[in-house]
Amino acid sequence: PPGSGTAEQAARLAAKFKVVLISADELVAAAVVQGTEIGKKAKVYKETDAPVPDELICSLVIERMGKEDCRRHGWILEGFPKTSSQATYLEERGVHVRDVVSLDLSTDKALKAITGRRIDPLNGTVHHVDALPAGMPQEVFDRLVQHPRDTKEVAGRRLRNYSEGKDSVVAFYGPKARVLDADTTADVLF
């Protein structure tokens, strides 16, 4: 779920196996910023914090998989597919996923991880209120802000959306899917 460290774990796996990391959320964000056709459509949903339709997300992922670096080195999907309909979309287009790792974390712990995140707006560094660096200058602490998607209300909605799809994705992939307990340190998990 959001807050379980999937981005960090996916980055570690991509580096270890020298494959391309594909984040559907980052693809959507980039399309919005670049003003692509899909980005313009996705922007409407992002502005209202509504889920971006599968067709738009899946199109971006499939397009990214078709790039030379992905064809040459392979890829890892981070945070995708989130629903069995997205998994079906991939299968129907000839994308056969070999392994699936789903990180499991209680809603309470995921909510705490998400709502405790703070961002330094000057350099983009992400901190957690429960693990601030020793000796952090007061001026840095004072400028830390919470991202709007990390509020309790929005995070709760994101976690509910995630929960609705997770079990269907694990069931879709059956024995290819492994569920790992994310209630540990990133180093232990990886």
Side-chain angles (χ1 to χ4, degrees):
S4 66
T6 57
E8 180 178 354
Q9 294 302 325
R12 288 175 176 222
L13 286 169
K16 178 177 179 160
F17 295 109
K18 296 177 176 49
V19 297
V20 177
L21 174 59
I22 300 175
S23 165
D25 290 341
E26 288 179 13
L27 290 175
V28 171
V32 169
V33 168
Q34 294 166 3
T36 67
E37 189 67 33
I38 291 176
K40 290 174 187 173
K41 293 176 184 175
K43 184 177 182 179
V44 175
Y45 296 93
K46 297 297 272 182
E47 287 175 344
T48 61
D49 202 35
V52 177
D54 287 349
E55 180 182 322
L56 299 179
I57 297 171
C58 293
S59 295
L60 288 169
V61 171
I62 294 288
E63 178 183 315
R64 181 64 184 97
M65 288 175 169
K67 302 242 178 197
E68 179 64 27
D69 59 342
C70 289
R71 290 196 320 265
R72 179 176 294 153
H73 302 290
W75 42 263
I76 287 180
L77 297 174
E78 184 266 318
F80 185 86
K82 288 183 169 122
T83 64
S84 61
S85 63
Q86 291 175 346
T88 300
Y89 187 99
L90 291 178
E91 288 284 325
E92 288 174 348
R93 279 145 188 88
V95 177
H96 304 291
V97 174
R98 189 177 69 200
D99 294 296
V100 174
V101 176
S102 177
L103 300 182
D104 195 29
L105 189 64
S106 74
T107 300
D108 289 341
K109 289 184 179 180
L111 197 56
K112 183 177 181 182
I114 295 168
T115 59
R117 287 191 294 222
R118 298 295 183 272
I119 301 167
D120 184 336
L122 291 185
N123 60 25
T125 305
V126 178
H127 299 281
H128 195 280
V129 294
D130 292 338
L132 295 172
M136 175 184 272
Q138 186 65 40
E139 66 187 48
V140 174
F141 177 80
D142 290 343
R143 71 177 179 241
L144 296 178
V145 296
Q146 185 177 46
H147 192 284
R149 73 168 187 225
D150 291 345
T151 64
K152 190 172 184 177
E153 177 186 328
V154 175
R157 188 169 53 247
R158 290 174 59 212
L159 288 167
R160 282 189 299 280
N161 289 342
Y162 167 81
S163 294
E164 291 171 7
K166 178 196 146 242
D167 292 339
S168 70
V169 171
V170 169
F172 181 90
Y173 288 110
K176 295 179 183 179
R178 286 176 260 166
V179 179
L180 302 178
D181 183 3
D183 189 15
T184 186
T185 66
D187 291 331
V188 170
L189 189 58
F190 183 72

